[in-house]
Amino acid sequence: MIQEQPGPTSGPEAEFDPDSAAPQPEASLRSLIGRIEHEMATLQFGSFSQTEALALGLLLVELGTSRNLPIAIDIRRNAHILFHASLAGANPDNEIWVERKSRTAEQYAEPSLLVGLRGRLGGGRIEDNGWFDQSRYAAHGGAFPLYVKGTGAVATVTVSGLPQKADHDLVVEALTSFASSAF
């Protein structure tokens, strides 16, 4: 009789992949939600002006071009576009995703990836709810509200063109770098 050998038990649990259709442990989903909630709590600024929007946008352009990423980058305050760029390889679909993800982050005042992940708690998806208008909103990663301490969300930065968690992570990398800069 051959005994089945257990899989590896050491090492960190794999991070939740929102693009995977395979079953994933709820603990990994909750872990990713916790990570994003921590990012929201720590990535807050003293102010955010058009000058800072330009600097953050150019930082994202620099990250995207140095890595040959086919992304669209957008920073807006409600309907007022403060910065927008479409790098080589980005396409018109990315512009549609930017609009929908930005609306989601603005509507919920939290990252669009977090909206989608919270909708998955309990096994569903926010998109399965009739009230979630997928023609206007997208609960996919890439849009992150810009929080000013004591004020709340004042603008939204969005990246589209990569898998949704990679879009989110690029925005967080830029915000982290931006927060530690002279601004």
Side-chain angles (χ1 to χ4, degrees):
M1 179 170 150
I2 300 174
Q3 286 189 314
E4 186 175 324
Q5 296 296 316
T9 56
S10 62
E13 185 174 295
E15 190 167 58
F16 187 83
D17 180 0
D19 290 319
S20 174
Q24 299 177 71
E26 186 166 318
S28 66
L29 172 60
R30 290 188 181 280
S31 176
L32 183 54
I33 288 171
R35 183 189 103 189
I36 296 168
E37 289 172 340
H38 176 74
E39 292 165 353
M40 285 174 50
T42 58
L43 292 172
Q44 298 196 14
F45 303 94
S47 65
F48 192 78
S49 67
Q50 288 176 299
T51 300
E52 291 153 330
L54 176 62
L56 177 59
L58 291 174
L59 173 60
L60 279 161
V61 167
E62 181 183 321
L63 291 171
T65 54
S66 70
R67 299 172 189 174
N68 296 317
L69 300 177
I71 57 174
I73 301 160
D74 184 90
I75 302 172
R76 62 183 62 198
R77 180 177 289 128
N78 300 313
H80 185 191
I81 296 173
L82 304 175
F83 182 91
H84 189 88
S86 185
L87 303 185
N91 62 58
D93 287 345
N94 298 125
E95 304 304 328
I96 295 167
W97 281 99
V98 161
E99 289 285 335
R100 292 169 55 220
K101 291 192 284 187
S102 294
R103 274 192 204 106
T104 302
E106 183 180 312
Q107 176 71 24
Y108 292 92
E110 59 187 34
S112 54
L113 180 58
L114 184 58
V115 172
L117 294 174
R118 285 188 174 148
R120 290 177 182 226
L121 289 171
R125 295 176 335 127
I126 195 169
E127 294 90 348
D128 298 333
N129 295 297
W131 51 263
F132 189 82
D133 183 356
Q134 293 183 66
S135 68
R136 294 190 43 79
Y137 299 94
H140 294 260
F144 200 106
L146 294 157
Y147 302 102
V148 170
K149 294 173 190 168
T151 301
V154 297
T156 303
V157 57
T158 306
V159 167
S160 177
L162 307 173
Q164 62 175 311
K165 200 162 69 135
D167 279 344
H168 173 87
D169 290 344
L170 182 63
V171 169
V172 169
E173 176 185 352
L175 288 173
T176 301
S177 177
F178 187 74
S180 66
S181 70
F183 267 106

PDB file of all heavy atoms in Angstrom, residues 44-48 52 147-151 183:
ATOM      1  N   GLN A  44      -0.798  57.815   3.695  1.00  0.00           N
ATOM      2  CA  GLN A  44      -1.566  59.041   3.816  1.00  0.00           C
ATOM      3  C   GLN A  44      -0.593  60.211   3.791  1.00  0.00           C
ATOM      4  O   GLN A  44       0.529  60.109   4.272  1.00  0.00           O
ATOM      5  CB  GLN A  44      -2.385  59.030   5.101  1.00  0.00           C
ATOM      6  CG  GLN A  44      -3.383  57.885   5.099  1.00  0.00           C
ATOM      7  CD  GLN A  44      -4.468  58.044   6.133  1.00  0.00           C
ATOM      8  OE1 GLN A  44      -4.664  59.106   6.708  1.00  0.00           O
ATOM      9  NE2 GLN A  44      -5.198  56.974   6.347  1.00  0.00           N
ATOM     10  N   PHE A  45      -1.054  61.309   3.231  1.00  0.00           N
ATOM     11  CA  PHE A  45      -0.184  62.453   3.002  1.00  0.00           C
ATOM     12  C   PHE A  45      -0.680  63.674   3.764  1.00  0.00           C
ATOM     13  O   PHE A  45      -1.845  63.745   4.151  1.00  0.00           O
ATOM     14  CB  PHE A  45      -0.127  62.749   1.498  1.00  0.00           C
ATOM     15  CG  PHE A  45       0.347  61.565   0.699  1.00  0.00           C
ATOM     16  CD1 PHE A  45      -0.560  60.672   0.141  1.00  0.00           C
ATOM     17  CD2 PHE A  45       1.691  61.314   0.539  1.00  0.00           C
ATOM     18  CE1 PHE A  45      -0.130  59.561  -0.566  1.00  0.00           C
ATOM     19  CE2 PHE A  45       2.135  60.206  -0.162  1.00  0.00           C
ATOM     20  CZ  PHE A  45       1.225  59.327  -0.715  1.00  0.00           C
ATOM     21  N   GLY A  46       0.212  64.641   3.949  1.00  0.00           N
ATOM     22  CA  GLY A  46      -0.155  65.887   4.615  1.00  0.00           C
ATOM     23  C   GLY A  46      -0.982  66.784   3.713  1.00  0.00           C
ATOM     24  O   GLY A  46      -1.802  67.565   4.178  1.00  0.00           O
ATOM     25  N   SER A  47      -0.761  66.667   2.399  1.00  0.00           N
ATOM     26  CA  SER A  47      -1.513  67.439   1.408  1.00  0.00           C
ATOM     27  C   SER A  47      -1.354  66.735   0.067  1.00  0.00           C
ATOM     28  O   SER A  47      -0.514  65.844  -0.083  1.00  0.00           O
ATOM     29  CB  SER A  47      -0.977  68.878   1.311  1.00  0.00           C
ATOM     30  OG  SER A  47       0.361  68.861   0.818  1.00  0.00           O
ATOM     31  N   PHE A  48      -2.171  67.146  -0.906  1.00  0.00           N
ATOM     32  CA  PHE A  48      -2.007  66.616  -2.251  1.00  0.00           C
ATOM     33  C   PHE A  48      -2.523  67.652  -3.239  1.00  0.00           C
ATOM     34  O   PHE A  48      -3.703  67.948  -3.299  1.00  0.00           O
ATOM     35  CB  PHE A  48      -2.746  65.285  -2.441  1.00  0.00           C
ATOM     36  CG  PHE A  48      -2.351  64.597  -3.719  1.00  0.00           C
ATOM     37  CD1 PHE A  48      -1.151  63.907  -3.792  1.00  0.00           C
ATOM     38  CD2 PHE A  48      -3.150  64.683  -4.842  1.00  0.00           C
ATOM     39  CE1 PHE A  48      -0.757  63.296  -4.979  1.00  0.00           C
ATOM     40  CE2 PHE A  48      -2.759  64.076  -6.033  1.00  0.00           C
ATOM     41  CZ  PHE A  48      -1.575  63.381  -6.095  1.00  0.00           C
ATOM     42  N   GLU A  52       1.945  67.903  -6.841  1.00  0.00           N
ATOM     43  CA  GLU A  52       2.248  66.559  -6.340  1.00  0.00           C
ATOM     44  C   GLU A  52       1.659  65.480  -7.257  1.00  0.00           C
ATOM     45  O   GLU A  52       2.258  64.424  -7.441  1.00  0.00           O
ATOM     46  CB  GLU A  52       1.747  66.417  -4.907  1.00  0.00           C
ATOM     47  CG  GLU A  52       2.576  67.280  -3.965  1.00  0.00           C
ATOM     48  CD  GLU A  52       1.833  67.728  -2.718  1.00  0.00           C
ATOM     49  OE1 GLU A  52       0.609  67.897  -2.768  1.00  0.00           O
ATOM     50  OE2 GLU A  52       2.513  67.919  -1.695  1.00  0.00           O
ATOM     51  N   TYR A 147      -5.110  59.633   0.143  1.00  0.00           N
ATOM     52  CA  TYR A 147      -5.659  60.097   1.410  1.00  0.00           C
ATOM     53  C   TYR A 147      -4.801  61.217   1.983  1.00  0.00           C
ATOM     54  O   TYR A 147      -3.584  61.116   2.043  1.00  0.00           O
ATOM     55  CB  TYR A 147      -5.689  58.957   2.436  1.00  0.00           C
ATOM     56  CG  TYR A 147      -6.487  57.756   1.989  1.00  0.00           C
ATOM     57  CD1 TYR A 147      -5.843  56.620   1.519  1.00  0.00           C
ATOM     58  CD2 TYR A 147      -7.882  57.748   2.051  1.00  0.00           C
ATOM     59  CE1 TYR A 147      -6.563  55.506   1.110  1.00  0.00           C
ATOM     60  CE2 TYR A 147      -8.606  56.642   1.644  1.00  0.00           C
ATOM     61  CZ  TYR A 147      -7.946  55.527   1.178  1.00  0.00           C
ATOM     62  OH  TYR A 147      -8.656  54.437   0.770  1.00  0.00           O
ATOM     63  N   VAL A 148      -5.478  62.270   2.436  1.00  0.00           N
ATOM     64  CA  VAL A 148      -4.824  63.350   3.160  1.00  0.00           C
ATOM     65  C   VAL A 148      -5.245  63.211   4.614  1.00  0.00           C
ATOM     66  O   VAL A 148      -6.442  63.097   4.925  1.00  0.00           O
ATOM     67  CB  VAL A 148      -5.216  64.730   2.590  1.00  0.00           C
ATOM     68  CG1 VAL A 148      -4.739  65.849   3.495  1.00  0.00           C
ATOM     69  CG2 VAL A 148      -4.648  64.889   1.189  1.00  0.00           C
ATOM     70  N   LYS A 149      -4.244  63.187   5.494  1.00  0.00           N
ATOM     71  CA  LYS A 149      -4.511  63.027   6.928  1.00  0.00           C
ATOM     72  C   LYS A 149      -5.503  64.081   7.401  1.00  0.00           C
ATOM     73  O   LYS A 149      -5.367  65.255   7.112  1.00  0.00           O
ATOM     74  CB  LYS A 149      -3.210  63.155   7.724  1.00  0.00           C
ATOM     75  CG  LYS A 149      -2.229  62.042   7.447  1.00  0.00           C
ATOM     76  CD  LYS A 149      -0.890  62.297   8.123  1.00  0.00           C
ATOM     77  CE  LYS A 149       0.112  61.280   7.618  1.00  0.00           C
ATOM     78  NZ  LYS A 149       1.477  61.611   7.987  1.00  0.00           N
ATOM     79  N   GLY A 150      -6.524  63.628   8.121  1.00  0.00           N
ATOM     80  CA  GLY A 150      -7.520  64.525   8.663  1.00  0.00           C
ATOM     81  C   GLY A 150      -8.599  64.943   7.673  1.00  0.00           C
ATOM     82  O   GLY A 150      -9.559  65.598   8.047  1.00  0.00           O
ATOM     83  N   THR A 151      -8.449  64.574   6.412  1.00  0.00           N
ATOM     84  CA  THR A 151      -9.412  64.959   5.380  1.00  0.00           C
ATOM     85  C   THR A 151     -10.070  63.745   4.747  1.00  0.00           C
ATOM     86  O   THR A 151     -11.260  63.728   4.505  1.00  0.00           O
ATOM     87  CB  THR A 151      -8.721  65.793   4.275  1.00  0.00           C
ATOM     88  OG1 THR A 151      -8.141  66.952   4.866  1.00  0.00           O
ATOM     89  CG2 THR A 151      -9.691  66.203   3.185  1.00  0.00           C
ATOM     90  N   PHE A 183       8.542  65.481  -0.958  1.00  0.00           N
ATOM     91  CA  PHE A 183       7.205  66.117  -0.958  1.00  0.00           C
ATOM     92  C   PHE A 183       6.570  65.956   0.371  1.00  0.00           C
ATOM     93  O   PHE A 183       6.089  65.273   0.974  1.00  0.00           O
ATOM     94  CB  PHE A 183       6.309  65.537  -2.057  1.00  0.00           C
ATOM     95  CG  PHE A 183       6.378  66.338  -3.317  1.00  0.00           C
ATOM     96  CD1 PHE A 183       7.053  65.878  -4.412  1.00  0.00           C
ATOM     97  CD2 PHE A 183       5.769  67.572  -3.382  1.00  0.00           C
ATOM     98  CE1 PHE A 183       7.113  66.622  -5.562  1.00  0.00           C
ATOM     99  CE2 PHE A 183       5.821  68.321  -4.538  1.00  0.00           C
ATOM    100  CZ  PHE A 183       6.503  67.836  -5.632  1.00  0.00           C
TER     101      PHE A 183
END
